[in-house]
Amino acid sequence: MSCGPAAAVLTADPPVDEGAPLGTGAESEEERCLACVVTYRPDIPQLLALIGAVEAARGFEVALIDNSDSAHWHRHLTELATARDCRLIANRENRGIAHAHNQAIDLARRCGFARLLLLDQDSHISAASIERLNRELDRLTRAGRRVAAVGPRHVDCKDGTDLPFVRLTSALGMKPVRDAGPTVACDVLISSGCLFPVAQFDEIGPFDTQFFIDYVDIEWCSRARAKGFELHGVPASRMEHSIGEGVLRVLGRRLPVHAPQRQYYLVRNALLFARKRQVPMRWRLHLLLRAFAHFAIFSTLCPPRLQRLRWLGRGLWDGMAGRGGKLPGPDPEAQQQPL
């Protein structure tokens, strides 16, 4: 894959548009930022609103990385990218969020961008919040901090729940971190809305494609922390994001509800993550407890129970066996996103 001009359709296999000029961006090379939106059968008006917010932020250019699996969506995304003068990488199949993020890293490197903003298609963020992320990353970098990423505070748009930044303090769970300044040091950031210095990927490495869809950001954050990098939340930067299809409340805790096949990935990937060498013991214990609690709660309390039981059981089995990657068959997102 090569760097092409804005509005170019780039494909991973084989490369096209060799050596084309870059679009306009920020005033200096150091300030140039690329925002990559990962799409899969997107809601077009919602996607256009997100692109508009990025375009309004100073210093950011837009690229789309499309995992849609039909000619229908390829045509729509090509027309949109041409109309909005942004790059498009068309995978023509769902290769997973980790693969798309790695394509974004590669594109940012090839095109000479210093920073990379990752976004999901259903995220809502303002230009002001994007610029705030950039300013706080500037401030932390000037202070000599080794920052892997900064990210916004997330709000679940289904019920308005404010999701705090957290630290993993024990195997029993995450502890919210009190907002004590313009940024908050934390252990985990949700990838959508994260702003990364591209150079840090050289040491931390890319996202792990065996996870395909879930725990992709958590595993990368853990690896960054293990290598001595910091993660910072920016409370004044806010993003609305849909997490799951519903909410289940158990013993005072709020648990997002996903489709049964999606829950396969959640349970399996928790166990795959626990097998990683960089994972400290408290993380391993937390992940094991989380996977088995997830199995027990959702297979008994959430219909369709039998279908969930089968997918969750398969997730436990494959996770313990170390099997990763994409499952054969329909994508878990496709059930909720018809043509």
Side-chain angles (χ1 to χ4, degrees):
M1 181 177 62
S2 300
C3 176
V9 178
L10 311 174
T11 56
D13 315 299
V16 296
D17 297 304
E18 300 286 345
L22 300 175
T24 59
E27 295 176 358
S28 69
E29 187 71 9
E30 289 73 27
E31 293 176 329
R32 295 185 64 245
C33 307
L34 178 67
C36 281
V37 184
V38 180
T39 60
Y40 179 87
R41 303 185 179 188
D43 178 299
I44 297 298
Q46 190 176 62
L47 178 59
L48 286 170
L50 179 59
I51 292 172
V54 176
E55 289 173 339
R58 180 181 179 274
F60 283 80
E61 298 179 37
V62 183
L64 306 178
I65 300 180
D66 185 46
N67 275 336
S68 302
D69 48 5
S70 73
H72 167 88
W73 287 106
H74 175 64
R75 182 176 67 255
H76 274 293
L77 269 296
T78 300
E79 291 171 355
L80 186 152
T82 301
R84 299 305 289 257
D85 195 33
C86 59
R87 298 175 179 86
L88 167 65
I89 295 174
N91 286 320
R92 300 175 185 268
E93 62 177 326
N94 191 353
R95 298 187 178 185
I97 194 73
H99 184 89
H101 286 174
N102 290 341
Q103 289 176 304
I105 295 167
D106 187 51
L107 182 62
R109 281 174 171 150
R110 289 173 182 269
C111 295
F113 289 94
R115 293 176 182 173
L116 172 66
L117 177 69
L118 293 178
L119 295 164
D120 292 348
Q121 65 189 30
D122 58 351
S123 296
H124 303 264
I125 190 168
S126 68
S129 284
I130 294 172
E131 291 177 349
R132 183 62 178 260
L133 289 172
N134 208 15
R135 288 197 303 272
E136 292 302 333
L137 182 53
D138 276 337
R139 185 181 63 81
L140 291 165
T141 301
R142 288 195 302 269
R145 312 295 285 269
R146 297 183 77 221
V147 180
V150 296
R153 180 184 294 280
H154 282 251
V155 178
D156 194 331
C157 58
K158 291 189 301 301
D159 58 7
T161 297
D162 200 336
L163 306 177
F165 302 110
V166 295
R167 288 273 199 189
L168 182 68
T169 55
S170 73
L172 296 179
M174 304 280 191
K175 180 180 179 181
V177 183
R178 184 175 63 87
D179 298 350
T183 63
V184 177
C186 54
D187 285 341
V188 174
L189 290 171
I190 297 173
S191 59
S192 184
C194 272
L195 183 63
F196 304 82
V198 173
Q200 310 297 45
F201 289 105
D202 294 340
E203 185 172 346
I204 301 168
F207 293 92
D208 191 334
T209 57
Q210 75 166 328
F211 290 96
F212 186 69
I213 190 169
D214 287 298
Y215 279 87
V216 171
D217 41 15
I218 298 175
E219 188 279 332
W220 189 89
C221 287
S222 172
R223 196 167 359 119
R225 297 274 294 133
K227 291 178 179 290
F229 287 91
E230 299 176 5
L231 302 163
H232 286 264
V234 182
S237 179
R238 298 176 69 85
M239 168 181 278
E240 290 189 3
H241 190 67
S242 181
I243 301 174
E245 300 160 25
V247 174
L248 178 68
R249 297 188 182 274
V250 179
L251 300 175
R253 300 197 65 175
R254 179 184 182 278
L255 305 175
V257 178
H258 298 271
Q261 188 178 346
R262 178 70 180 271
Q263 289 186 306
Y264 161 87
Y265 288 102
L266 285 163
V267 168
R268 185 200 72 179
N269 290 353
L271 297 177
L272 290 179
F273 180 24
R275 298 164 65 97
K276 292 282 188 175
R277 282 183 295 180
Q278 86 268 7
V279 177
M281 184 56 65
R282 70 179 186 279
W283 267 104
R284 293 179 195 272
L285 293 173
H286 172 73
L287 292 162
L288 292 172
L289 288 172
R290 187 184 182 103
F292 285 98
H294 196 101
F295 175 87
I297 291 169
F298 287 100
S299 64
T300 57
L301 298 181
C302 278
R305 293 177 181 82
L306 184 58
Q307 187 179 1
R308 288 187 190 278
L309 180 65
R310 286 198 296 263
W311 280 113
L312 288 163
R314 185 175 178 181
L316 288 177
W317 181 263
D318 285 353
M320 289 186 291
R323 299 189 187 99
K326 179 186 177 183
L327 275 173
D331 293 317
E333 302 98 326
Q335 303 169 26
Q336 286 74 46
Q337 300 183 57
L339 290 176

